[in-house]
Amino acid sequence: MDITIALPAECISNIISLTTPRDACRLSVVSPVFKSAADSDSVWENFLPSDYKQIISNSVSSLITSLSKKDLYFHLCRNPIIINNGTMPESGKKCYMVGTKGLSIAWGDEPNHWILTSLPESRFPEVAELKYVWWFDVKAMIETRILSLRTNYTAYLVFKFVESKYGFARRPVDSGVYIEGSDNGVRRRLLLDPSRNMARLSQDRRDGWIEIEMGEFFNENGDDGKLVCSLFEFDSFITKRGLIIQGIEIEAGVRENESGVRSIASNIRYAAFHIRLAAFEIRIAACEIRIAVYGPEAYCPESGLPFTISG
């Protein structure tokens, strides 16, 4: 049975809105009926941040308000609106980047150790360049209430090196991502400047910077307080210099690494997609059974409205 005949467009849109933006794009090529449902504002409004109207009010362009919800979604993905020194919607979720001025840097106010400079490729007016330290300690703190709810986030250090770098190839730094006051003690050892014969955990971005994953956390209801993203090295007493920090970025989701291997959190989300897909098929089967039992006039549990099948 053709479900595009059995189900009204509102019902199909409601089902598609329970999936993901990528799924909606794939479903839009199934048929003209699916395209109409998958491209509808009711679907794409679910993929935008709940406070997207407040976010786009910060845009200097008045044309953005005239876009369809789908076009608005992709416009924000390609042209994120930066507010409050870093929050922006991307991939349907709010991300955050703490620039240099928002970071807590040990000896950061001492010109002999750190200096503020400007680079044309930086998102922020100033970046921090390390001149000379023994102890390395950089920290960002973000209020969880400003992030998207029920969302997995990954923290990244965004950085690069000057030519006269030293100290980061010989000794890894430790990173921790945790809620303030609830440090779970989980740490990652990150080698920011590995030699050629060593595994490289960092990767080049397309904006002239390098990023390395610091850790993950799940933002349930946004009421946990402050998220701490810490990067430090206290024990080696090896001098360090030449690092330039643009900031620490909190990004929704978990990427695949260069070998294509997913993290545990990514596998959980991958399984959740298949559970949603199975639930979608079960709902369709339930509608078909109801139609077979009750005839052409049946009831759609998704929309709560009766519908009639012609022919």
Side-chain angles (χ1 to χ4, degrees):
M1 178 181 290
D2 187 352
I3 64 169
T4 62
I5 298 175
L7 300 178
E10 295 82 0
C11 187
I12 297 173
S13 294
N14 190 29
I15 294 171
I16 295 174
S17 70
L18 300 175
T19 61
T20 66
R22 179 173 293 182
D23 298 332
C25 291
R26 289 171 174 169
L27 290 168
S28 69
V29 301
V30 170
S31 70
V33 174
F34 264 79
K35 178 173 176 56
S36 177
D39 290 349
S40 66
D41 281 353
S42 62
V43 168
W44 288 91
E45 189 156 19
N46 279 282
F47 300 145
L48 289 165
S50 58
D51 55 350
Y52 75 92
K53 292 181 181 178
Q54 179 183 351
I55 292 172
I56 65 175
S57 68
N58 293 275
S59 173
V60 296
S61 173
S62 60
L63 295 176
I64 194 172
T65 58
S66 64
L67 297 174
S68 69
K69 297 300 186 292
K70 180 179 180 180
D71 290 340
L72 175 61
Y73 173 90
F74 285 107
H75 176 83
L76 293 175
C77 288
R78 293 187 295 266
N79 306 283
I81 299 172
I82 303 174
I83 59 175
N84 297 333
N85 203 29
T87 53
M88 63 183 179
E90 183 173 302
S91 301
K93 301 290 185 179
K94 287 186 288 185
C95 301
Y96 199 94
M97 185 166 184
V98 182
T100 298
K101 287 190 174 181
L103 297 176
S104 172
I105 302 177
W107 308 104
D109 55 352
E110 296 287 338
N112 290 335
H113 299 290
W114 290 87
I115 62 169
L116 295 179
T117 186
S118 61
L119 293 176
E121 63 270 25
S122 173
R123 177 182 297 177
F124 302 101
E126 294 180 319
V127 295
E129 180 180 338
L130 174 59
K131 305 303 289 185
Y132 179 91
V133 294
W134 293 89
W135 287 5
F136 181 78
D137 187 11
V138 177
K139 189 178 298 179
M141 301 186 73
I142 302 103
E143 292 283 355
T144 56
R145 59 181 171 79
I146 68 173
L147 302 174
S148 296
L149 308 183
R150 296 176 294 280
T151 300
N152 195 82
Y153 280 92
T154 306
Y156 297 90
L157 175 71
V158 182
F159 68 101
K160 63 169 56 179
F161 287 104
V162 300
E163 192 170 336
S164 58
K165 57 188 176 181
Y166 184 81
F168 292 99
R170 299 174 56 189
R171 179 75 182 184
V173 297
D174 291 330
S175 71
V177 177
Y178 53 89
I179 298 298
E180 185 181 26
S182 305
D183 187 357
N184 55 14
V186 175
R187 300 289 183 266
R188 295 188 181 190
R189 310 220 80 185
L190 308 178
L191 200 58
L192 301 184
D193 186 32
S195 57
R196 292 183 179 180
N197 61 345
M198 301 183 69
R200 185 184 181 192
L201 298 178
S202 61
Q203 56 183 332
D204 293 329
R205 294 158 58 106
R206 296 182 179 180
D207 57 1
W209 294 86
I210 304 170
E211 66 181 16
I212 192 166
E213 184 175 325
M214 297 174 58
E216 302 172 14
F217 82 104
F218 184 75
N219 189 38
E220 180 67 38
N221 297 312
D223 56 2
D224 291 326
K226 291 184 178 180
L227 177 72
V228 180
C229 302
S230 177
L231 201 69
F232 59 91
E233 200 283 302
F234 299 137
D235 302 326
S236 68
F237 293 101
I238 296 174
T239 57
K240 304 167 187 64
R241 65 172 179 263
L243 177 71
I244 299 177
I245 297 177
Q246 181 181 190
I248 292 178
E249 186 169 32
I250 312 300
E251 183 175 313
V254 181
R255 307 174 192 165
E256 292 183 349
N257 59 28
E258 292 182 353
S259 64
V261 178
R262 296 170 181 262
S263 70
I264 293 175
S266 183
N267 281 327
I268 291 173
R269 288 198 310 278
Y270 186 70
F273 163 72
H274 284 279
I275 292 172
R276 289 198 304 270
L277 185 60
F280 170 74
E281 293 172 349
I282 290 171
R283 287 194 297 271
I284 291 174
C287 286
E288 292 178 347
I289 292 171
R290 186 178 296 274
I291 291 164
V293 172
Y294 295 105
E297 188 169 289
Y299 179 85
C300 177
E302 292 297 333
S303 64
L305 298 173
F307 63 93
T308 301
I309 305 170
S310 59

